[in-house]
């Protein structure tokens, strides 16, 4: 993917707009996404043991208000009600994650059948309602025992992940056709092991790069395990939060800052996965932190670059950067939590800025052109079918006296980003689906329950679910396969 300069090259929706932009291809997946720890609850039921997020959230000071996923939104017990809600919305696909510590509690050895039974029942319910399941194997809930043995900076964790992938595929491969190995390994490696704002909360930049390589290796080994266990029709993918990196100016130092972030944020995943190599500039930028020659063992890159059927892109906002020197008089903005430790190993001399325009409740700038640019760039560079596996926004939702939740900002956000998807399709990208993050309000990691991303509001006292007006709008878009339907953003 190339770095785009907002002042010269960014594609605007207006440039690409087509009168027929609201028509999505036949079979386009209209979905919503969730993750196990964020919604399931039932943290100690049916053999589940703690993951790194159970430990982290129970550590004072790590998560806002001391919130945990112990109960979350109790999806484990309410999944039938939740699938009914998805069917009422008209979703054609649902992306969720399997909880590793529910299926293989210690991260080693045989599976717990009761854990697998939950996912058998969930997928049966989805299929009975005409909703295609798409399962993510790893959405950040590493079994605590594996972290105690060293976590992702240890090579062994990659092999444990492949074993778990094989177990899951053998048990559920008859009913799940789309498999995603990792969700956002950038967060697992860098927020987990460099800035420490995510579990397991470690702050060693060298370990974060070791984690990055072992996540890549675990992905590749898992692709092999999935292919061995799944029918030939199965689709295997990875979901990456690739950054739409934009330099603050065309000054050479700002361009170099963008190149650096692009290398350690994006190409650290896409080059080994799609090109079978780590790029020379990434290695040079980080050589003082890790010895790549001993980290990457013979055969690793061949494993990591096993062919995929789809690439999942998670997109929320563009990333605006300059050199630290050029940022002396400019306001800074990180957007990835409070930590004195950077989540960007080897990029200490890069400064981050708030891109212009409106922001969400996360203080993330709203700019759908980052999505169209990314999709078009990925299409041109790698040529494989794409899915938007996450996109959405948190806002300060309020419940009206009549019980409704009017969230016009979220509707506008989703509409704008679906427009960007349509623009990318018009420009030739083979985008096969869009999964809104998230189906319902849930545990937003270090922010606890403070930030609401859901199409459906959850009352955290009663756990009652109420579709917001954005859900009604999305439902109508799905029904009409169009963005220009009768329900205006309200
Ligand atoms: O809630 C998260 C999700 O788990 C991963 N992608 C970003 C979302 C919003 O922060």
């Amino acid at each position: 993917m190339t770095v785009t300069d907002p002042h010269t090259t960014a594609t605007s929706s207006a440039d690409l707009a087509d009168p027929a932009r609201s028509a999505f291809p036949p079979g386009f997946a209209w979905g919503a996404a969730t993750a196990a720890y964020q919604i399931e609850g039932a943290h100690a039921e049916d053999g589940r043991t703690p993951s790194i997020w159970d430990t982290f959230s129970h550590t004072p000071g790590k998560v806002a208000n001391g919130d945990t996923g112990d109960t979350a939104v109790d999806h484990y017990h309410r999944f039938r009600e939740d699938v009914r809600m998805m069917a009422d919305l008209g979703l054609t696909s649902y992306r969720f994650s399997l909880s590793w510590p529910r299926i293989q509690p210690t991260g080693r050895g045989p599976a717990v059948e009761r854990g697998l039974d939950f996912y058998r029942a969930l997928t049966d319910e989805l299929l009975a309602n005409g909703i295609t399941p798409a399962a993510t194997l790893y959405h950040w809930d590493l079994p605590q025992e594996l972290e105690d043995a060293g976590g992702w900076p240890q090579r062994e964790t990659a092999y444990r992940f492949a074993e778990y992938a094989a177990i899951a595929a053998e048990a559920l491969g008859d009913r799940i056709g789309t498999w995603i190995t990792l969700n956002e390994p950038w967060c697992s490696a860098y927020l987990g092991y460099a800035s420490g704002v995510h579990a397991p909360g470690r702050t060693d930049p060298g370990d974060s790069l070791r984690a990055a390589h072992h996540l890549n290796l675990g992905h590749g080994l898992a692709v092999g395990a999935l292919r061995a266990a799944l029918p030939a029709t199965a689709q295997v993918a990875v979901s990456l939060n690739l950054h739409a990196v934009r330099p603050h100016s065309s000054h050479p130092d700002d361009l170099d800052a963008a190149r650096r972030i692009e290398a350690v944020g994006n190409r650290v995943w896409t080059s080994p996965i799609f090109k079978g190599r780590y790029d020379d500039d990434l290695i040079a930028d980080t050589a003082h932190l890790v010895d790549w020659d001993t980290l990457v063992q013979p055969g690793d890159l061949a494993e990591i670059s096993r062919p995929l059927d789809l690439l999942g892109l998670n997109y929320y906002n563009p990333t605006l950067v300059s050199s630290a020197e050029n940022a002396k008089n400019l306001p800074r903005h990180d957007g990835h939590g409070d930590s004195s430790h950077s989540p960007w190993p080897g990029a200490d001399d890069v400064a981050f800025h708030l891109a212009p325009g409106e922001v969400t409740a996360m203080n993330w700038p709203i700019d759908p052109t980052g999505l169209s640019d990314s999709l078009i760039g990925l299409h041109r560079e790698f040529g494989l079918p794409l899915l938007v596996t996450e996109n959405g926004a948190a806002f300060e939702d309020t419940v009206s006296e009549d019980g409704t939740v009017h969230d016009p900002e979220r509707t506008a956000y989703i509409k704008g980003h679906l427009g960007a998807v349509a623009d990318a399709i018009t420009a030739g990208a083979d985008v096969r689906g869009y999964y809104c993050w998230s189906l319902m309000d849930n545990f937003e990691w270090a922010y606890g329950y403070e930030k609401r991303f859901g199409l459906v509001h959850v009352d955290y006292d009663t756990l009652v679910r109420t579709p917001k007006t954005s859900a009604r709008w999305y439902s109508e878009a799905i029904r009409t396969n169009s963005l220009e339907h009768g329900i205006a953003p309200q």
Side-chain angles (χ1 to χ4, degrees), residues 337-354:
D338 283 336
S339 171
S340 48
H341 302 273
S342 165
W344 299 99
D348 294 339
D349 47 0
V350 174
F352 293 82
H353 308 278
L354 192 60

Side-chain angles (χ1 to χ4, degrees), residues 28-89:
F28 186 79
W30 290 93
T34 62
Y37 190 71
Q38 294 182 272
I39 63 164
E40 284 181 2
H43 69 115
E45 276 181 52
D46 294 336
R48 184 186 180 281
T49 56
S51 73
I52 54 174
W53 268 98
D54 295 83
T55 307
F56 190 75
S57 64
H58 279 271
T59 306
K62 297 296 185 190
V63 172
N65 309 310
D67 291 342
T68 73
D70 288 3
T71 305
V73 297
D74 197 31
H75 173 72
Y76 192 73
H77 298 115
R78 295 166 195 246
F79 73 90
R80 290 186 203 282
E81 177 195 340
D82 291 338
V83 172
R84 210 163 40 243
M85 188 171 78
M86 295 178 216
D88 287 347
L89 292 176

Side-chain angles (χ1 to χ4, degrees), residues 346-414:
D348 294 339
D349 47 0
V350 174
F352 293 82
H353 308 278
L354 192 60
E358 308 268 298
V359 294
T360 69
M362 300 291 283
N363 204 22
W364 293 350
I366 302 174
D367 184 350
T369 65
L371 178 56
S372 42
D373 288 347
S374 296
L375 290 168
I376 294 166
L378 291 169
H379 164 70
R380 291 193 180 139
E381 189 163 9
F382 305 119
L384 82 170
L386 303 167
L387 285 176
V388 178
T389 39
E390 282 183 30
N391 173 248
F395 288 104
E396 309 283 348
D397 300 325
T398 51
V399 184
S400 321
E401 275 184 10
D402 64 0
T404 55
V405 181
H406 292 279
D407 58 339
E409 308 95 335
R410 184 171 291 102
T411 304
Y413 181 99
I414 296 169

